[in-house]
Amino acid sequence: LTDRAKYVAAEPEPELNQLLAIALLHASHGVKGFIFYMYDEIFTGPVPELYEKRWADVCEIGRILKSLEPFILSGKPIVELPVENVHGLTRAVMMTDEKDAHRVLVIGLDYDNEAQITLPPDCKSLKSRFGFVQPQSGNRQHFKAGLRSCDLLQ
């Protein structure tokens, strides 16, 4: 096999949601600044044909983090939410901006993630951005996603 074929066969490129999950995990622990880099050169890398997708993913992650800026930079505490893991390991936190608006970050940390999350009453109207979180009864939300995925309730 060529080096390019070995690279592609070794493991698929991470999807946008998987890359975003890493950034949101750090934000959920209070990180305020982000630097993104690639081991391989983004333009050529081992598979130059992947450049357009890589660049689009990096730009989308930047847009999402920019939309979360008022929450990430807020001086308000990050609140860990109650999570009952069914499979895998899930982290859920609520962030609040200076106007008391909320965002909930849900990050699946394993290969197969399923959990029940309990939201505070004032977060019931938040909606899933990626469709991995579905409302249940009351303040309960059901999260189900694959390899290191995430969702954002906004």
Side-chain angles (χ1 to χ4, degrees):
L1 292 175
T2 66
D3 285 342
R4 182 178 293 183
K6 288 178 189 175
Y7 177 85
V8 172
E11 188 168 331
E13 288 263 315
E15 295 294 325
L16 165 68
N17 193 268
Q18 294 168 326
L19 295 171
L20 179 62
I22 296 166
L24 293 185
L25 176 63
H26 291 291
S28 80
H29 284 287
V31 170
K32 306 269 187 228
F34 299 86
I35 298 173
F36 293 89
Y37 66 93
M38 294 183 65
Y39 180 76
D40 296 306
E41 214 280 328
I42 192 170
F43 297 107
T44 57
V47 185
E49 300 81 39
L50 296 177
Y51 164 73
E52 292 297 328
K53 181 185 179 319
R54 282 187 192 126
W55 184 245
D57 287 352
V58 168
C59 290
E60 182 61 16
I61 290 169
R63 281 189 285 275
I64 292 168
L65 289 175
K66 181 70 175 167
S67 76
L68 291 172
E69 187 175 287
F71 302 90
I72 292 171
L73 296 179
S74 167
K76 305 228 174 159
I78 296 169
V79 177
E80 289 192 42
L81 299 178
V83 174
E84 297 171 32
N85 289 298
V86 177
H87 297 289
L89 180 62
T90 298
R91 176 171 172 76
V93 301
M94 179 184 69
M95 302 176 95
T96 306
D97 70 5
E98 296 300 327
K99 297 176 183 174
D100 289 328
H102 303 295
R103 295 295 179 267
V104 173
L105 312 181
V106 181
I107 306 105
L109 303 171
D110 214 330
Y111 287 90
D112 178 27
N113 303 286
E114 184 176 357
Q116 294 291 330
I117 301 161
T118 303
L119 300 180
D122 53 347
C123 288
K124 282 183 6 181
S125 64
L126 298 179
K127 304 291 184 216
S128 166
R129 179 176 183 137
F130 298 107
F132 295 124
V133 175
Q134 299 299 319
Q136 304 293 303
S137 62
N139 296 359
R140 308 270 291 170
Q141 302 281 318
H142 183 255
F143 173 68
K144 186 171 174 68
L147 175 64
R148 295 181 191 97
S149 294
C150 64
D151 208 337
L152 172 61
L153 302 180
Q154 51 192 24

PDB file of all heavy atoms in Angstrom, residues 34-60:
ATOM      1  N   PHE A  34      -8.668  29.021  22.594  1.00  0.00           N
ATOM      2  CA  PHE A  34      -8.472  27.810  21.803  1.00  0.00           C
ATOM      3  C   PHE A  34      -7.475  28.058  20.688  1.00  0.00           C
ATOM      4  O   PHE A  34      -7.535  29.091  20.022  1.00  0.00           O
ATOM      5  CB  PHE A  34      -9.804  27.342  21.197  1.00  0.00           C
ATOM      6  CG  PHE A  34     -10.828  27.020  22.237  1.00  0.00           C
ATOM      7  CD1 PHE A  34     -11.646  27.997  22.761  1.00  0.00           C
ATOM      8  CD2 PHE A  34     -10.940  25.727  22.723  1.00  0.00           C
ATOM      9  CE1 PHE A  34     -12.574  27.703  23.742  1.00  0.00           C
ATOM     10  CE2 PHE A  34     -11.860  25.419  23.707  1.00  0.00           C
ATOM     11  CZ  PHE A  34     -12.675  26.409  24.216  1.00  0.00           C
ATOM     12  N   ILE A  35      -6.577  27.116  20.492  1.00  0.00           N
ATOM     13  CA  ILE A  35      -5.637  27.134  19.377  1.00  0.00           C
ATOM     14  C   ILE A  35      -5.787  25.793  18.679  1.00  0.00           C
ATOM     15  O   ILE A  35      -5.708  24.742  19.321  1.00  0.00           O
ATOM     16  CB  ILE A  35      -4.183  27.315  19.857  1.00  0.00           C
ATOM     17  CG1 ILE A  35      -4.030  28.648  20.570  1.00  0.00           C
ATOM     18  CG2 ILE A  35      -3.216  27.206  18.678  1.00  0.00           C
ATOM     19  CD1 ILE A  35      -2.684  28.848  21.230  1.00  0.00           C
ATOM     20  N   PHE A  36      -5.997  25.826  17.371  1.00  0.00           N
ATOM     21  CA  PHE A  36      -6.140  24.602  16.600  1.00  0.00           C
ATOM     22  C   PHE A  36      -4.936  24.443  15.686  1.00  0.00           C
ATOM     23  O   PHE A  36      -4.495  25.409  15.070  1.00  0.00           O
ATOM     24  CB  PHE A  36      -7.427  24.624  15.766  1.00  0.00           C
ATOM     25  CG  PHE A  36      -8.664  24.586  16.606  1.00  0.00           C
ATOM     26  CD1 PHE A  36      -9.248  25.755  17.061  1.00  0.00           C
ATOM     27  CD2 PHE A  36      -9.241  23.378  16.952  1.00  0.00           C
ATOM     28  CE1 PHE A  36     -10.378  25.725  17.853  1.00  0.00           C
ATOM     29  CE2 PHE A  36     -10.373  23.330  17.740  1.00  0.00           C
ATOM     30  CZ  PHE A  36     -10.940  24.503  18.190  1.00  0.00           C
ATOM     31  N   TYR A  37      -4.422  23.249  15.614  1.00  0.00           N
ATOM     32  CA  TYR A  37      -3.329  22.958  14.692  1.00  0.00           C
ATOM     33  C   TYR A  37      -3.465  21.517  14.239  1.00  0.00           C
ATOM     34  O   TYR A  37      -4.181  20.727  14.842  1.00  0.00           O
ATOM     35  CB  TYR A  37      -1.956  23.193  15.338  1.00  0.00           C
ATOM     36  CG  TYR A  37      -1.659  22.247  16.471  1.00  0.00           C
ATOM     37  CD1 TYR A  37      -0.976  21.060  16.251  1.00  0.00           C
ATOM     38  CD2 TYR A  37      -2.078  22.525  17.770  1.00  0.00           C
ATOM     39  CE1 TYR A  37      -0.723  20.169  17.276  1.00  0.00           C
ATOM     40  CE2 TYR A  37      -1.822  21.657  18.805  1.00  0.00           C
ATOM     41  CZ  TYR A  37      -1.140  20.487  18.560  1.00  0.00           C
ATOM     42  OH  TYR A  37      -0.893  19.620  19.583  1.00  0.00           O
ATOM     43  N   MET A  38      -2.778  21.191  13.173  1.00  0.00           N
ATOM     44  CA  MET A  38      -2.798  19.825  12.657  1.00  0.00           C
ATOM     45  C   MET A  38      -1.383  19.290  12.624  1.00  0.00           C
ATOM     46  O   MET A  38      -0.446  20.032  12.339  1.00  0.00           O
ATOM     47  CB  MET A  38      -3.388  19.788  11.246  1.00  0.00           C
ATOM     48  CG  MET A  38      -4.847  20.156  11.190  1.00  0.00           C
ATOM     49  SD  MET A  38      -5.522  20.011   9.539  1.00  0.00           S
ATOM     50  CE  MET A  38      -5.392  18.259   9.263  1.00  0.00           C
ATOM     51  N   TYR A  39      -1.238  18.026  12.893  1.00  0.00           N
ATOM     52  CA  TYR A  39       0.062  17.381  12.804  1.00  0.00           C
ATOM     53  C   TYR A  39       0.555  17.422  11.363  1.00  0.00           C
ATOM     54  O   TYR A  39       1.712  17.698  11.096  1.00  0.00           O
ATOM     55  CB  TYR A  39      -0.033  15.939  13.309  1.00  0.00           C
ATOM     56  CG  TYR A  39       1.272  15.195  13.244  1.00  0.00           C
ATOM     57  CD1 TYR A  39       2.266  15.438  14.184  1.00  0.00           C
ATOM     58  CD2 TYR A  39       1.510  14.262  12.244  1.00  0.00           C
ATOM     59  CE1 TYR A  39       3.475  14.766  14.127  1.00  0.00           C
ATOM     60  CE2 TYR A  39       2.717  13.588  12.180  1.00  0.00           C
ATOM     61  CZ  TYR A  39       3.689  13.843  13.125  1.00  0.00           C
ATOM     62  OH  TYR A  39       4.880  13.181  13.066  1.00  0.00           O
ATOM     63  N   ASP A  40      -0.334  17.159  10.441  1.00  0.00           N
ATOM     64  CA  ASP A  40      -0.006  17.216   9.020  1.00  0.00           C
ATOM     65  C   ASP A  40      -0.369  18.592   8.484  1.00  0.00           C
ATOM     66  O   ASP A  40      -1.243  19.268   9.011  1.00  0.00           O
ATOM     67  CB  ASP A  40      -0.802  16.161   8.230  1.00  0.00           C
ATOM     68  CG  ASP A  40      -0.424  14.757   8.644  1.00  0.00           C
ATOM     69  OD1 ASP A  40       0.769  14.441   8.612  1.00  0.00           O
ATOM     70  OD2 ASP A  40      -1.333  13.997   9.008  1.00  0.00           O
ATOM     71  N   GLU A  41       0.252  19.004   7.436  1.00  0.00           N
ATOM     72  CA  GLU A  41      -0.038  20.266   6.792  1.00  0.00           C
ATOM     73  C   GLU A  41      -1.466  20.241   6.254  1.00  0.00           C
ATOM     74  O   GLU A  41      -1.850  19.306   5.554  1.00  0.00           O
ATOM     75  CB  GLU A  41       0.971  20.467   5.647  1.00  0.00           C
ATOM     76  CG  GLU A  41       1.367  21.895   5.409  1.00  0.00           C
ATOM     77  CD  GLU A  41       0.349  22.676   4.618  1.00  0.00           C
ATOM     78  OE1 GLU A  41      -0.342  22.115   3.754  1.00  0.00           O
ATOM     79  OE2 GLU A  41       0.240  23.883   4.883  1.00  0.00           O
ATOM     80  N   ILE A  42      -2.268  21.239   6.609  1.00  0.00           N
ATOM     81  CA  ILE A  42      -3.692  21.225   6.270  1.00  0.00           C
ATOM     82  C   ILE A  42      -3.932  21.219   4.753  1.00  0.00           C
ATOM     83  O   ILE A  42      -4.876  20.614   4.274  1.00  0.00           O
ATOM     84  CB  ILE A  42      -4.444  22.396   6.935  1.00  0.00           C
ATOM     85  CG1 ILE A  42      -5.962  22.199   6.808  1.00  0.00           C
ATOM     86  CG2 ILE A  42      -4.011  23.726   6.365  1.00  0.00           C
ATOM     87  CD1 ILE A  42      -6.784  23.154   7.623  1.00  0.00           C
ATOM     88  N   PHE A  43      -3.087  21.901   3.981  1.00  0.00           N
ATOM     89  CA  PHE A  43      -3.319  21.991   2.543  1.00  0.00           C
ATOM     90  C   PHE A  43      -2.985  20.695   1.815  1.00  0.00           C
ATOM     91  O   PHE A  43      -3.675  20.302   0.893  1.00  0.00           O
ATOM     92  CB  PHE A  43      -2.510  23.140   1.932  1.00  0.00           C
ATOM     93  CG  PHE A  43      -2.928  24.476   2.468  1.00  0.00           C
ATOM     94  CD1 PHE A  43      -2.112  25.148   3.346  1.00  0.00           C
ATOM     95  CD2 PHE A  43      -4.141  25.041   2.113  1.00  0.00           C
ATOM     96  CE1 PHE A  43      -2.492  26.384   3.857  1.00  0.00           C
ATOM     97  CE2 PHE A  43      -4.533  26.262   2.618  1.00  0.00           C
ATOM     98  CZ  PHE A  43      -3.697  26.940   3.499  1.00  0.00           C
ATOM     99  N   THR A  44      -1.909  20.056   2.223  1.00  0.00           N
ATOM    100  CA  THR A  44      -1.504  18.846   1.501  1.00  0.00           C
ATOM    101  C   THR A  44      -1.737  17.609   2.342  1.00  0.00           C
ATOM    102  O   THR A  44      -2.404  16.691   1.910  1.00  0.00           O
ATOM    103  CB  THR A  44      -0.027  18.924   1.069  1.00  0.00           C
ATOM    104  OG1 THR A  44       0.776  19.123   2.231  1.00  0.00           O
ATOM    105  CG2 THR A  44       0.180  20.039   0.073  1.00  0.00           C
ATOM    106  N   GLY A  45      -1.197  17.601   3.557  1.00  0.00           N
ATOM    107  CA  GLY A  45      -1.386  16.443   4.431  1.00  0.00           C
ATOM    108  C   GLY A  45      -1.124  15.158   3.679  1.00  0.00           C
ATOM    109  O   GLY A  45      -0.645  15.156   2.552  1.00  0.00           O
ATOM    110  N   PRO A  46      -1.417  14.038   4.273  1.00  0.00           N
ATOM    111  CA  PRO A  46      -1.217  12.781   3.562  1.00  0.00           C
ATOM    112  C   PRO A  46      -2.238  12.563   2.446  1.00  0.00           C
ATOM    113  O   PRO A  46      -1.996  11.797   1.527  1.00  0.00           O
ATOM    114  CB  PRO A  46      -1.344  11.720   4.652  1.00  0.00           C
ATOM    115  CG  PRO A  46      -2.062  12.384   5.763  1.00  0.00           C
ATOM    116  CD  PRO A  46      -1.831  13.848   5.646  1.00  0.00           C
ATOM    117  N   VAL A  47      -3.390  13.239   2.522  1.00  0.00           N
ATOM    118  CA  VAL A  47      -4.435  13.091   1.498  1.00  0.00           C
ATOM    119  C   VAL A  47      -4.928  14.495   1.130  1.00  0.00           C
ATOM    120  O   VAL A  47      -5.873  15.016   1.730  1.00  0.00           O
ATOM    121  CB  VAL A  47      -5.600  12.215   2.004  1.00  0.00           C
ATOM    122  CG1 VAL A  47      -6.607  11.971   0.898  1.00  0.00           C
ATOM    123  CG2 VAL A  47      -5.100  10.902   2.580  1.00  0.00           C
ATOM    124  N   PRO A  48      -4.303  15.146   0.131  1.00  0.00           N
ATOM    125  CA  PRO A  48      -4.672  16.522  -0.220  1.00  0.00           C
ATOM    126  C   PRO A  48      -6.150  16.694  -0.573  1.00  0.00           C
ATOM    127  O   PRO A  48      -6.710  17.765  -0.372  1.00  0.00           O
ATOM    128  CB  PRO A  48      -3.791  16.840  -1.425  1.00  0.00           C
ATOM    129  CG  PRO A  48      -2.668  15.872  -1.365  1.00  0.00           C
ATOM    130  CD  PRO A  48      -3.209  14.645  -0.682  1.00  0.00           C
ATOM    131  N   GLU A  49      -6.803  15.640  -1.058  1.00  0.00           N
ATOM    132  CA  GLU A  49      -8.208  15.739  -1.444  1.00  0.00           C
ATOM    133  C   GLU A  49      -9.119  16.042  -0.254  1.00  0.00           C
ATOM    134  O   GLU A  49     -10.267  16.448  -0.427  1.00  0.00           O
ATOM    135  CB  GLU A  49      -8.686  14.439  -2.111  1.00  0.00           C
ATOM    136  CG  GLU A  49      -7.927  14.065  -3.375  1.00  0.00           C
ATOM    137  CD  GLU A  49      -6.585  13.365  -3.090  1.00  0.00           C
ATOM    138  OE1 GLU A  49      -6.499  12.546  -2.154  1.00  0.00           O
ATOM    139  OE2 GLU A  49      -5.631  13.673  -3.803  1.00  0.00           O
ATOM    140  N   LEU A  50      -8.632  15.836   0.950  1.00  0.00           N
ATOM    141  CA  LEU A  50      -9.445  16.081   2.144  1.00  0.00           C
ATOM    142  C   LEU A  50      -9.376  17.538   2.613  1.00  0.00           C
ATOM    143  O   LEU A  50     -10.052  17.908   3.569  1.00  0.00           O
ATOM    144  CB  LEU A  50      -9.017  15.140   3.280  1.00  0.00           C
ATOM    145  CG  LEU A  50      -9.239  13.654   3.017  1.00  0.00           C
ATOM    146  CD1 LEU A  50      -8.706  12.827   4.170  1.00  0.00           C
ATOM    147  CD2 LEU A  50     -10.707  13.357   2.785  1.00  0.00           C
ATOM    148  N   TYR A  51      -8.568  18.365   1.966  1.00  0.00           N
ATOM    149  CA  TYR A  51      -8.377  19.742   2.414  1.00  0.00           C
ATOM    150  C   TYR A  51      -9.699  20.501   2.522  1.00  0.00           C
ATOM    151  O   TYR A  51      -9.964  21.154   3.534  1.00  0.00           O
ATOM    152  CB  TYR A  51      -7.421  20.504   1.491  1.00  0.00           C
ATOM    153  CG  TYR A  51      -7.511  21.985   1.706  1.00  0.00           C
ATOM    154  CD1 TYR A  51      -6.975  22.558   2.856  1.00  0.00           C
ATOM    155  CD2 TYR A  51      -8.175  22.811   0.806  1.00  0.00           C
ATOM    156  CE1 TYR A  51      -7.081  23.913   3.083  1.00  0.00           C
ATOM    157  CE2 TYR A  51      -8.295  24.168   1.032  1.00  0.00           C
ATOM    158  CZ  TYR A  51      -7.742  24.718   2.166  1.00  0.00           C
ATOM    159  OH  TYR A  51      -7.867  26.058   2.400  1.00  0.00           O
ATOM    160  N   GLU A  52     -10.533  20.470   1.493  1.00  0.00           N
ATOM    161  CA  GLU A  52     -11.777  21.251   1.500  1.00  0.00           C
ATOM    162  C   GLU A  52     -12.653  20.899   2.699  1.00  0.00           C
ATOM    163  O   GLU A  52     -13.190  21.781   3.367  1.00  0.00           O
ATOM    164  CB  GLU A  52     -12.556  21.050   0.195  1.00  0.00           C
ATOM    165  CG  GLU A  52     -11.897  21.631  -1.033  1.00  0.00           C
ATOM    166  CD  GLU A  52     -11.748  23.147  -0.990  1.00  0.00           C
ATOM    167  OE1 GLU A  52     -12.618  23.818  -0.394  1.00  0.00           O
ATOM    168  OE2 GLU A  52     -10.765  23.649  -1.546  1.00  0.00           O
ATOM    169  N   LYS A  53     -12.778  19.607   2.977  1.00  0.00           N
ATOM    170  CA  LYS A  53     -13.593  19.184   4.126  1.00  0.00           C
ATOM    171  C   LYS A  53     -12.945  19.617   5.437  1.00  0.00           C
ATOM    172  O   LYS A  53     -13.612  20.111   6.340  1.00  0.00           O
ATOM    173  CB  LYS A  53     -13.800  17.674   4.106  1.00  0.00           C
ATOM    174  CG  LYS A  53     -14.667  17.195   5.277  1.00  0.00           C
ATOM    175  CD  LYS A  53     -14.774  15.694   5.311  1.00  0.00           C
ATOM    176  CE  LYS A  53     -15.590  15.178   6.454  1.00  0.00           C
ATOM    177  NZ  LYS A  53     -15.425  15.810   7.743  1.00  0.00           N
ATOM    178  N   ARG A  54     -11.634  19.424   5.550  1.00  0.00           N
ATOM    179  CA  ARG A  54     -10.928  19.829   6.774  1.00  0.00           C
ATOM    180  C   ARG A  54     -11.129  21.319   7.035  1.00  0.00           C
ATOM    181  O   ARG A  54     -11.421  21.722   8.155  1.00  0.00           O
ATOM    182  CB  ARG A  54      -9.428  19.570   6.635  1.00  0.00           C
ATOM    183  CG  ARG A  54      -9.011  18.167   6.806  1.00  0.00           C
ATOM    184  CD  ARG A  54      -7.486  18.131   6.819  1.00  0.00           C
ATOM    185  NE  ARG A  54      -7.032  16.767   6.709  1.00  0.00           N
ATOM    186  CZ  ARG A  54      -6.185  16.338   5.788  1.00  0.00           C
ATOM    187  NH1 ARG A  54      -5.680  17.163   4.906  1.00  0.00           N
ATOM    188  NH2 ARG A  54      -5.823  15.083   5.770  1.00  0.00           N
ATOM    189  N   TRP A  55     -10.924  22.128   5.997  1.00  0.00           N
ATOM    190  CA  TRP A  55     -11.034  23.573   6.164  1.00  0.00           C
ATOM    191  C   TRP A  55     -12.464  23.963   6.541  1.00  0.00           C
ATOM    192  O   TRP A  55     -12.675  24.806   7.423  1.00  0.00           O
ATOM    193  CB  TRP A  55     -10.582  24.292   4.904  1.00  0.00           C
ATOM    194  CG  TRP A  55     -10.593  25.777   5.076  1.00  0.00           C
ATOM    195  CD1 TRP A  55     -11.390  26.665   4.426  1.00  0.00           C
ATOM    196  CD2 TRP A  55      -9.800  26.541   5.984  1.00  0.00           C
ATOM    197  NE1 TRP A  55     -11.133  27.945   4.865  1.00  0.00           N
ATOM    198  CE2 TRP A  55     -10.168  27.893   5.835  1.00  0.00           C
ATOM    199  CE3 TRP A  55      -8.827  26.213   6.921  1.00  0.00           C
ATOM    200  CZ2 TRP A  55      -9.588  28.918   6.571  1.00  0.00           C
ATOM    201  CZ3 TRP A  55      -8.247  27.238   7.665  1.00  0.00           C
ATOM    202  CH2 TRP A  55      -8.633  28.561   7.479  1.00  0.00           C
ATOM    203  N   ALA A  56     -13.462  23.380   5.904  1.00  0.00           N
ATOM    204  CA  ALA A  56     -14.861  23.676   6.228  1.00  0.00           C
ATOM    205  C   ALA A  56     -15.163  23.311   7.680  1.00  0.00           C
ATOM    206  O   ALA A  56     -15.848  24.066   8.387  1.00  0.00           O
ATOM    207  CB  ALA A  56     -15.789  22.919   5.279  1.00  0.00           C
ATOM    208  N   ASP A  57     -14.645  22.170   8.148  1.00  0.00           N
ATOM    209  CA  ASP A  57     -14.870  21.754   9.539  1.00  0.00           C
ATOM    210  C   ASP A  57     -14.232  22.733  10.521  1.00  0.00           C
ATOM    211  O   ASP A  57     -14.845  23.127  11.521  1.00  0.00           O
ATOM    212  CB  ASP A  57     -14.322  20.347   9.778  1.00  0.00           C
ATOM    213  CG  ASP A  57     -15.169  19.264   9.148  1.00  0.00           C
ATOM    214  OD1 ASP A  57     -16.272  19.567   8.641  1.00  0.00           O
ATOM    215  OD2 ASP A  57     -14.726  18.094   9.149  1.00  0.00           O
ATOM    216  N   VAL A  58     -12.999  23.146  10.251  1.00  0.00           N
ATOM    217  CA  VAL A  58     -12.307  24.076  11.138  1.00  0.00           C
ATOM    218  C   VAL A  58     -13.064  25.409  11.196  1.00  0.00           C
ATOM    219  O   VAL A  58     -13.253  25.985  12.271  1.00  0.00           O
ATOM    220  CB  VAL A  58     -10.844  24.288  10.678  1.00  0.00           C
ATOM    221  CG1 VAL A  58     -10.194  25.468  11.389  1.00  0.00           C
ATOM    222  CG2 VAL A  58     -10.034  23.027  10.906  1.00  0.00           C
ATOM    223  N   CYS A  59     -13.537  25.894  10.058  1.00  0.00           N
ATOM    224  CA  CYS A  59     -14.299  27.149  10.023  1.00  0.00           C
ATOM    225  C   CYS A  59     -15.609  27.030  10.798  1.00  0.00           C
ATOM    226  O   CYS A  59     -16.000  27.949  11.528  1.00  0.00           O
ATOM    227  CB  CYS A  59     -14.569  27.573   8.584  1.00  0.00           C
ATOM    228  SG  CYS A  59     -13.084  28.132   7.725  1.00  0.00           S
ATOM    229  N   GLU A  60     -16.298  25.894  10.669  1.00  0.00           N
ATOM    230  CA  GLU A  60     -17.561  25.701  11.394  1.00  0.00           C
ATOM    231  C   GLU A  60     -17.323  25.637  12.898  1.00  0.00           C
ATOM    232  O   GLU A  60     -18.087  26.199  13.682  1.00  0.00           O
ATOM    233  CB  GLU A  60     -18.279  24.442  10.900  1.00  0.00           C
ATOM    234  CG  GLU A  60     -19.611  24.193  11.569  1.00  0.00           C
ATOM    235  CD  GLU A  60     -20.647  25.298  11.362  1.00  0.00           C
ATOM    236  OE1 GLU A  60     -20.484  26.141  10.458  1.00  0.00           O
ATOM    237  OE2 GLU A  60     -21.630  25.332  12.123  1.00  0.00           O
TER     238      GLU A  60
END
